[in-house]
């Protein structure tokens, strides 16, 4: 019975996050809230990340509305939203549970292991290529063991410059996979968005040595987990053994 009640609660929370109760709002605010819900529904919800009682970090949080909704409608414990150059307006801190920042250095001010879920709607548009591997390792360190990440990652598109534009002008699906695994993440799910045909022919010319799948992928949507490290499992086993004594 407990499992049934928990499952019913999670379904209700997911439904309310996607189809939140309607309130009387100004038309512009109403439209902005709808856009926030659409981001959740289209990018993140298909991977069913656990929001209930989670501490969330949203990288590239836009105007901050989704981060706020995860608390007010998704039952998250807290949320930190990061958007370099972002204009968040006069947001309520929701009794200290919501933090919105436009400064990348906030990633270095947070303690290790304080986040359960990381969301990124456009990682390559938020984090600069310079220092990317260090910041991915930092994001890994911020996650608690077993924590999740859902990331949208764009891939190389003709016309961009190295370090700017989709996929920093260099990243292919394999490159993204390698750099994330090097940071420590395990990939547990994913989806691909395919290129328009008018772009595909140009990519085929520029990347002739790669596979058709590599050339055809315009963006990756990956569901990652931060696994338990061996030393963490050993410490957990030792504590359990000590309690039994």
């Amino acid at each position: 019975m407990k499992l049934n009640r928990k499952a019913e609660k999670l379904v209700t929370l997911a439904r309310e996050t996607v189809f939140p109760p309607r309130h009387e709002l100004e038309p512009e605010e109403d439209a902005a809230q709808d856009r926030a819900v659409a981001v959740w529904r289209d990018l993140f919800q298909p991977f069913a990340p656990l929001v209930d009682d989670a501490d969330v970090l949203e990288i590239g949080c836009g105007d901050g509305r989704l981060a706020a909704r995860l608390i007010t409608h998704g039952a998250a414990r807290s949320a930190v939203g990061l958007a370099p150059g972002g204009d968040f307006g006069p947001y309520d801190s929701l009794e200290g549970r919501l933090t919105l920042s436009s400064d990348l250095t906030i990633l270095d001010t947070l303690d290790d292991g304080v986040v359960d879920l990381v969301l990124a709607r456009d990682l390559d548009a938020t984090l600069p290529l310079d220092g990317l591997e260090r910041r991915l390792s930092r994001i890994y360190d911020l996650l608690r063991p077993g924590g999740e990440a859902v990331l949208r990652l764009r891939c190389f598109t003709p016309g961009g410059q190295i370090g700017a534009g989709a996929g920093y002008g260099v990243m292919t699906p394999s490159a993204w996979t390698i750099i994330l695994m090097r940071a420590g993440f395990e990939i547990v799910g994913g989806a691909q968005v395919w290129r328009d045909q008018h772009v595909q022919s140009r990519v085929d010319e520029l990347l002739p040595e790669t596979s058709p799948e590599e050339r055809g992928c315009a963006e990756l949507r990956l569901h990652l987990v931060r696994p338990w490290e061996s030393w963490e499992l050993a410490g957990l086993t030792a504590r359990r053994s000590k309690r039994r004594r």
Side-chain angles (χ1 to χ4, degrees):
M1 290 297 291
K2 284 186 177 180
L3 288 176
N4 287 339
R5 285 196 297 271
K6 185 174 182 180
E8 289 173 1
K9 181 181 179 182
L10 290 176
V11 169
T12 300
L13 287 170
R15 186 184 304 118
E16 288 181 352
T17 302
V18 178
F19 303 108
R22 305 299 295 183
H23 302 286
E24 292 297 327
L25 300 173
E26 295 294 329
E28 289 186 4
E29 177 62 19
D30 199 39
Q33 294 288 343
D34 285 344
R35 288 193 294 271
V37 172
V39 169
W40 169 260
R41 182 186 61 234
D42 297 339
L43 290 178
F44 303 129
Q45 192 181 25
F47 298 102
L50 186 60
V51 178
D52 187 18
D53 204 32
D55 294 307
V56 181
L57 168 63
E58 188 185 1
I59 300 171
C61 66
D63 56 20
R65 284 179 173 82
L66 177 56
R69 293 201 73 88
L70 292 175
I71 297 172
T72 58
H73 293 81
R77 184 187 303 119
S78 71
V80 175
L82 169 62
D87 181 11
F88 308 117
Y91 253 101
D92 191 317
S93 69
L94 300 176
E95 298 180 347
R97 298 164 64 194
L98 176 65
T99 301
L100 299 175
S101 176
S102 59
D103 190 346
L104 283 172
T105 60
I106 193 174
L107 296 176
D108 298 316
T109 65
L110 299 172
D111 293 334
D112 289 356
V114 296
V115 175
D116 299 293
L117 175 62
V118 174
L119 303 173
R121 63 185 77 178
D122 280 305
L123 188 77
D124 50 300
T126 306
L127 300 182
L129 178 60
D130 184 27
L132 177 62
E133 290 199 63
R134 183 189 71 80
R135 287 194 175 94
L136 290 176
S137 294
R138 179 66 193 136
I139 291 166
Y140 177 91
D141 290 339
L142 291 174
L143 279 166
R144 297 184 176 104
E148 301 174 272
V150 180
L151 312 178
R152 177 178 180 253
L153 310 163
R154 299 177 299 168
C155 298
F156 163 78
T157 297
Q161 297 179 348
I162 294 179
Y168 305 109
V170 295
M171 300 296 285
T172 64
S174 291
W176 276 121
T177 299
I178 291 168
I179 199 172
L180 288 165
M181 293 181 70
R182 189 182 296 159
F185 291 102
E186 290 185 4
I187 300 173
V188 294
Q192 294 173 300
V193 176
W194 302 105
R195 298 186 189 277
D196 294 335
Q197 191 57 46
H198 74 278
V199 176
Q200 185 64 57
S201 59
R202 181 60 177 149
V203 175
D204 292 342
E205 293 175 6
L206 294 171
L207 302 175
E209 303 301 322
T210 60
S211 69
E213 186 174 88
E214 286 278 288
R215 296 194 301 267
C217 181
E219 68 178 60
L220 287 173
R221 299 176 183 184
L222 294 181
H223 184 196
L224 313 171
V225 296
R226 190 279 208 203
W228 284 81
E229 302 285 0
S230 58
W231 62 270
E232 292 169 331
L233 288 172
L236 184 63
T237 301
R239 287 195 297 273
R240 287 176 175 172
S241 177
K242 187 175 182 180
R243 284 201 297 268
R244 289 193 188 103
R245 297 194 195 116

